[in-house]
Amino acid sequence: MAPSQGRVSDFEARYVKIERALSAMSMMRIAVAGTGGLARLIAHFIDQETSHHVVFLSREEKPHLSESNQVAIIDYSSQQSLQFALRGIDTVISTVTGADQIELIKAAVAVRVRRFAPAEFEGPPDLRPQDDPLDRGRTLARQWLSHYAQHIQSTTFVCGILYERFQPGGLRQARIGLASLVSGEGDYIMDCRAMSAEVPCYDANSDPNVSICLTAAQDVGKFVCKAIDLPQWPPEMRMCGQQIKVKDLVALVQQLKGQPFNPIQWHNPDSLRSALRLAAVQQDKATVLRLQTLLATAEGRFCFGHCNLNQSLPEVKTLGFKEWFERKWGLV
């Protein structure tokens, strides 16, 4: 007896679903836009843990990278250059922001790239206010991706604050966040060498309950690597190495270093806004950016729940802050 038309359709639907899943797990060409520290970590884990092929997108030649990876020299002002570099690419992981990223998104859509992860890697976007001075064009990039949602999948990787802010040399030592102007040692909450601190631990109600989520950069690389093979990308992929109250983080560092922070300033949103006004009058751009990041912390913008990547990828064992800090500062 011949199967009914409905059963044939069900079989075909299951076959197509399986075929797509197998296709997603086969070898793919992954473009990593940028050559900074986070881009290199992501590429490293893709190389080490998958069969996928990594292509760095770079504005200039990188001989030390091209020894082990393909490096495509691109011109972000030229759609022809970008589209040529992206032909045959399945997924783009971006670590570049601003107008360059917008042009990259346009090119990815034009050559039918399947997936695009924009440069985020901080707190959840929905916690950022309109006209956020720390945005650096990221909201516009997500708007472009939303506009082209029928043509390209996208997700936002959320990881909170990187542990590397608190290492010797700060984020800059890891070649991460150089364009942010707040990537140096001591630019965020604590200078763990000089043992000075500006601590945004009080919320708008003057309660010392401000918390942050933190993740080691190497764990971000591992999570992104594993996420490439997920059959579906949700709008956000959240990861976290440790969630902790800011005041407890400061106390932990004092304990590990065996000395107190001196001087130390305790802040709430109002005191940070007052300091911001003074820095703006003095046209001290570096201080303005540093204080804006502290204000974002006091407003809870780097604290989040439901870390779906931790739940869906339990094989990624994250590093706790204490163990990481002891390694970086030679305390073990």
Side-chain angles (χ1 to χ4, degrees):
M1 179 178 177
S4 68
Q5 184 65 40
R7 288 179 180 174
V8 170
S9 297
D10 289 343
F11 173 80
E12 289 176 343
R14 286 196 298 271
Y15 177 82
V16 169
K17 187 175 181 180
I18 293 170
E19 185 179 46
R20 286 177 177 173
L22 290 173
S23 174
M25 294 177 66
S26 62
M27 189 184 79
M28 297 180 288
R29 298 183 74 232
I30 312 298
V32 177
T35 58
L38 188 58
R40 295 184 191 188
L41 276 171
I42 291 169
H44 167 77
F45 286 108
I46 295 173
D47 277 339
Q48 294 296 311
E49 300 184 9
T50 77
S51 60
H52 305 321
H53 179 72
V54 175
V55 179
F56 280 105
L57 304 182
S58 174
R59 296 178 179 86
E60 56 190 26
E61 293 185 5
K62 300 287 183 179
H64 53 292
L65 289 180
S66 58
E67 292 176 1
S68 54
N69 292 102
Q70 181 181 348
V71 178
I73 310 302
I74 47 89
D75 176 359
Y76 281 103
S77 67
S78 167
Q79 276 292 305
Q80 181 180 3
S81 169
L82 291 170
Q83 291 179 28
F84 180 80
L86 292 178
R87 293 194 185 280
I89 294 294
D90 176 88
T91 300
V92 174
I93 308 295
S94 175
T95 65
V96 300
T97 56
D100 291 345
Q101 182 166 227
I102 302 302
E103 293 304 311
L104 187 62
I105 292 169
K106 293 177 183 178
V109 172
V111 299
R112 300 174 184 263
V113 168
R114 185 170 66 99
R115 285 174 164 175
F116 194 109
E120 285 282 348
F121 304 106
E122 285 189 356
D126 61 0
L127 296 183
R128 290 206 295 265
Q130 286 187 335
D131 302 320
D132 178 18
L134 302 173
D135 184 85
R136 301 197 303 277
R138 291 176 295 180
T139 295
L140 184 59
R142 290 196 322 280
Q143 289 172 346
W144 273 95
L145 288 166
S146 177
H147 177 73
Y148 287 120
Q150 291 184 325
H151 305 283
I152 192 167
Q153 293 182 44
S154 66
T155 193
T156 295
F157 286 109
V158 174
C159 63
I161 298 298
L162 292 176
Y163 288 175
E164 281 69 17
R165 281 192 176 274
F166 306 108
Q167 72 178 3
L171 286 176
R172 187 177 298 144
Q173 180 66 29
R175 299 191 73 254
I176 297 174
L178 300 181
S180 71
L181 303 181
V182 285
S183 62
E185 183 175 336
D187 281 348
Y188 180 68
I189 299 183
M190 299 176 285
D191 184 330
C192 300
R193 188 190 307 274
M195 292 303 287
S196 62
E198 287 188 275
V199 188
C201 70
Y202 291 96
D203 61 21
N205 298 316
S206 296
D207 294 324
N209 296 322
V210 172
S211 296
I212 52 176
C213 292
L214 306 106
T215 311
Q218 68 174 34
D219 289 339
V220 174
K222 292 177 182 178
F223 275 121
V224 173
C225 167
K226 296 291 185 183
I228 287 172
D229 286 327
L230 292 176
Q232 293 295 324
W233 273 11
E236 285 186 12
M237 293 201 213
R238 297 184 178 188
M239 65 194 85
C240 179
Q242 184 168 346
Q243 181 174 327
I244 188 171
K245 289 184 178 179
V246 173
K247 67 179 182 63
D248 292 339
L249 180 67
V250 171
L252 175 60
V253 170
Q254 289 183 131
Q255 175 190 338
L256 295 174
K257 291 291 296 275
Q259 61 185 120
F261 284 104
N262 184 23
I264 186 167
Q265 294 177 277
W266 304 95
H267 282 291
N268 62 18
D270 285 342
S271 66
L272 288 167
R273 291 189 188 100
S274 177
L276 261 171
R277 287 192 290 270
L278 178 60
V281 168
Q282 296 173 339
Q283 298 183 335
D284 185 345
K285 184 176 181 181
T287 298
V288 165
L289 288 170
R290 181 174 54 78
L291 290 169
Q292 285 169 337
T293 308
L294 295 179
L295 178 59
T297 304
E299 292 175 338
R301 285 162 51 187
F302 303 121
C303 183
F304 49 88
H306 184 54
C307 295
N308 51 351
L309 276 186
N310 293 68
Q311 294 172 3
S312 61
L313 299 172
E315 64 271 27
V316 178
K317 306 300 182 183
T318 57
L319 189 63
F321 181 84
K322 178 178 182 292
E323 181 183 357
W324 173 88
F325 190 88
E326 288 175 331
R327 289 182 188 177
K328 289 295 181 178
W329 286 93
L331 302 175
V332 291

